[in-house]
């Protein structure tokens, strides 16, 4: 069959997306490049005063110039620190929360919304990067998996099957 877009296949789209360039999705939707915005959070810490706009623009530019999913994940994990929870206030239902997170821009502590808006990332992208850090597998394994029909057999089971096949083959040859 004929391709819809000759100039963009999957790998090119992926590179364009990771380098923050405009690209066309597989369904034909045009996606514009993410632009830096001067976000002012409403948190009591006033994070926008702690880190000036030039530093945030430089970090935004540096992150998107990496242009590789794995190195971007490594950069995210270097800027986000997971710490064990200091105190739990759970009453009837136990909380599933295991970590508290500290978000750093230029080694300055900021709130989560300031961090996500500075880099124009979703919280899911940050969560995914940190889960991959914990599992020590930074590789992008989307679309790559083992066969679902693979049968796991022990050596004994394999030898039994082979001997049974051999018996059937011998009986066919004797006829």
């Amino acid at each position: 069959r004929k391709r819809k877009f000759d100039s963009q296949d999957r790998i090119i789209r992926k590179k364009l997306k990771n380098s923050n360039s405009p690209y066309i999705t597989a369904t034909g939707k045009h996606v514009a490049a993410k632009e830096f915005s001067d976000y002012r959070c409403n948190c009591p810490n006033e994070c926008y005063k702690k880190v000036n706009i030039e530093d945030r623009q430089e970090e935004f530019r540096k992150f998107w110039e990496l242009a590789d999913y794995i190195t971007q994940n490594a950069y995210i994990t270097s800027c986000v620190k997971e710490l064990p929870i200091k105190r739990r206030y759970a009453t009837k239902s136990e909380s599933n929360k295991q970590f508290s997170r500290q978000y750093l821009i230029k080694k300055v502590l900021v709130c989560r919304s300031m961090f996500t808006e500075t880099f124009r990332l979703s919280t899911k992208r940050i969560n995914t990067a940190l889960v991959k850090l914990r599992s020590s597998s930074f590789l992008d394994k989307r679309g790559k998996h083992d066969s679902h029909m693979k049968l796991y057999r022990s050596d004994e089971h394999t030898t039994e099957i082979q001997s049974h096949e051999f018996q059937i083959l011998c009986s066919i040859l004797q006829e």
Side-chain angles (χ1 to χ4, degrees):
R1 92 182 153 83
K2 231 178 172 179
R3 289 184 169 227
K4 290 182 182 177
F5 304 100
D6 295 332
S7 63
Q8 290 199 346
D9 61 342
R10 191 170 47 97
I11 297 166
I12 294 171
R13 270 195 302 275
K14 207 184 322 184
K15 286 180 182 177
L16 289 172
K17 181 181 180 183
N18 290 331
S19 64
N20 195 26
S21 301
Y23 65 98
I24 300 171
T25 64
T27 58
K29 181 181 167 188
H30 291 273
V31 179
K34 295 178 182 185
E35 295 179 9
F36 178 79
S37 64
D38 183 19
Y39 178 74
R40 293 180 180 266
C41 61
N42 294 324
C43 72
N45 297 330
E46 295 182 328
C47 302
Y48 66 92
K49 291 181 180 177
K50 290 181 180 179
V51 184
N52 62 17
I53 190 167
E54 291 84 19
D55 289 341
R56 287 188 282 141
Q57 275 182 324
E58 181 186 337
E59 291 293 308
F60 174 82
R61 184 187 50 75
K62 221 188 314 184
F63 176 78
W64 288 106
E65 281 180 355
L66 293 173
D68 181 46
Y69 184 81
I70 297 169
T71 52
Q72 285 175 345
N73 280 350
Y75 186 85
I76 291 169
T77 56
S78 70
C79 293
V80 180
K81 304 295 178 213
E82 282 190 329
L83 304 170
I85 295 175
K86 294 179 183 175
R87 198 176 309 137
R88 292 188 186 269
Y89 295 104
T91 54
K92 293 179 182 175
S93 63
E94 285 295 318
S95 174
N96 290 333
K97 185 178 175 184
Q98 297 174 341
F99 301 102
S100 293
R101 292 183 179 158
Q102 291 182 340
Y103 300 90
L104 305 166
I105 297 176
K106 287 276 191 180
K107 298 183 180 178
V108 177
L109 189 65
V110 295
C111 63
R112 182 180 75 180
S113 60
M114 174 61 83
F115 187 84
T116 56
E117 289 298 320
T118 297
F119 292 107
R120 306 292 289 168
L121 298 171
S122 66
T123 53
K124 184 173 182 177
R125 172 80 190 265
I126 296 167
N127 290 340
T128 304
L130 293 168
V131 166
K132 288 182 180 203
L133 174 70
R134 275 186 253 132
S135 69
S136 69
S137 173
F138 270 118
L139 298 177
D140 185 9
K141 294 184 179 176
R142 292 177 292 184
K144 299 172 180 76
H145 56 84
D146 291 336
S147 173
H148 294 291
M149 298 299 290
K150 185 182 275 187
L151 297 175
Y152 297 99
R153 300 183 195 132
S154 64
D155 290 335
E156 291 176 18
H157 193 67
T158 306
T159 55
E160 287 177 20
I161 292 172
Q162 287 173 344
S163 65
H164 181 69
E165 290 172 349
F166 182 72
Q167 288 173 354
I168 292 173
L169 190 64
C170 288
S171 66
I172 292 173
L173 292 174
Q174 287 177 353
E175 291 176 358

